[in-house]
Amino acid sequence: MNIAGWVGVLLLAASGAAGAASKCPSIETSMVDKGFGDGPWRVISGGPGACSFMTANTSVNFGFNHMVSESTDLATKAAVDMHEAIAGNSVVVPTPSLGEHGFAYQTKDDAGAIDPKTMFFYGHRGSVGVSGYLNLASAITPAQRDFAANLIAGTLGVATNAKALARETNCPYLDDALVDKLLPDGERSVIVPDRNNCVMSAGGRVLTVAIVKDARSREAADGMLRSGGCSVDPLPQFGKTAGVMHHCFEGNPRAQVVVAGDGRMLEIAYVPGQGQEPTDAERAMLVDAAAFALKR
């Protein structure tokens, strides 16, 4: 899978994991209202490295995700590679506010047409990369495109703030030693939508962790363990509603540990990439990672 595809995986994981929030730390909802109309807008998820906004019409939305690389050079390379990956099938507009290699783009369908109501963004500052999206009820104007880019660019101040950058790369539910084993090589990127959600990627591999606090967590976990046509190995050491899913008929080859109880659900997922199923050893490490997370 190319870098564009992996960015899609990361964004989906982050947006799917993040829970409801009343405030985005880096973008005021009033600014979104003024810039795009179609409101009122509200925050769907908000954290140090990601925010998403939506109107009553769920197809009208806006958001961004930060991806922190190990160095400025690697973040720059990611931006260049992303541009190359999407250029052949997209209408691309250079967007200097998102950095030297920043751009906005709209993907083409099989007939070569674009959806004028949908736009994506990519850029970086220092070691922090950023992806964003905008979906409106009518065609996005150049002014709305530039406004969205400026809002997204405004979140990149974290790149020069050591404390803020540390918060955006801190995954308290993941054990560093196990992460090093599951992501042994490649350029590592991190997305931390909030302290209960984290996405790490390196060398085509992706590791995600999400903690969801909800009274119906056991019901949700039961549903997940039965979905996707997966083989499920029970994990009684974690309770009655706990298992590791693998060899699924639906979705990418992956392993997922799901544990629920006492109004809280833990999900840790691992995608080895290259169409490969996780090995027995990798599934065992994922179970160890779940044991670590459950003690936090």
Side-chain angles (χ1 to χ4, degrees), residues 171-182 207-211 235 237-238 244 255-259 264 266-270 281-296:
C171 296
Y173 292 102
L174 289 176
D175 176 67
D176 291 340
L178 289 171
V179 170
D180 289 340
K181 291 178 181 178
L182 289 167
L207 178 64
T208 72
V209 59
I211 304 291
L235 298 173
Q237 66 269 38
F238 298 146
V244 55
Q256 288 173 265
V257 174
V258 179
V259 181
R264 189 177 83 150
L266 163 71
E267 178 194 359
I268 295 184
Y270 176 65
E282 289 169 336
R283 293 203 305 270
M285 284 189 280
L286 202 64
V287 173
D288 289 341
F292 176 88
L294 289 167
K295 295 177 182 177
R296 307 298 287 176

Side-chain angles (χ1 to χ4, degrees), residues 32-67:
V32 180
D33 269 318
K34 292 176 182 177
F36 305 130
D38 293 328
W41 291 74
R42 59 192 175 94
V43 178
I44 300 301
S45 63
C51 289
S52 59
F53 301 81
M54 188 179 293
T55 69
N57 177 356
T58 57
S59 65
V60 177
N61 46 65
F62 165 69
F64 74 90
N65 287 278
H66 287 171
M67 294 161 288

Side-chain angles (χ1 to χ4, degrees), residues 75-165:
T76 302
K77 182 179 183 300
V80 172
D81 289 348
M82 180 64 177
H83 187 279
E84 292 178 355
I86 58 91
N89 193 41
S90 302
V91 174
V92 182
V93 179
T95 310
S97 63
L98 289 171
E100 180 182 358
H101 302 285
F103 56 93
Y105 66 102
Q106 292 172 295
T107 57
K108 301 176 184 176
D109 62 19
D110 293 339
I114 62 167
D115 181 352
K117 298 179 291 185
T118 295
M119 186 169 288
F120 302 95
F121 303 84
Y122 198 94
H124 88 92
R125 183 181 303 169
S127 63
V128 182
V130 64
S131 288
Y133 58 89
L134 176 64
N135 295 288
L136 296 180
S138 56
I140 298 169
T141 67
Q144 289 170 326
R145 177 197 66 210
D146 293 345
F147 188 81
N150 287 334
L151 286 180
I152 294 168
T155 72
L156 290 173
V158 64
T160 57
N161 185 322
K163 289 184 178 179
L165 197 57

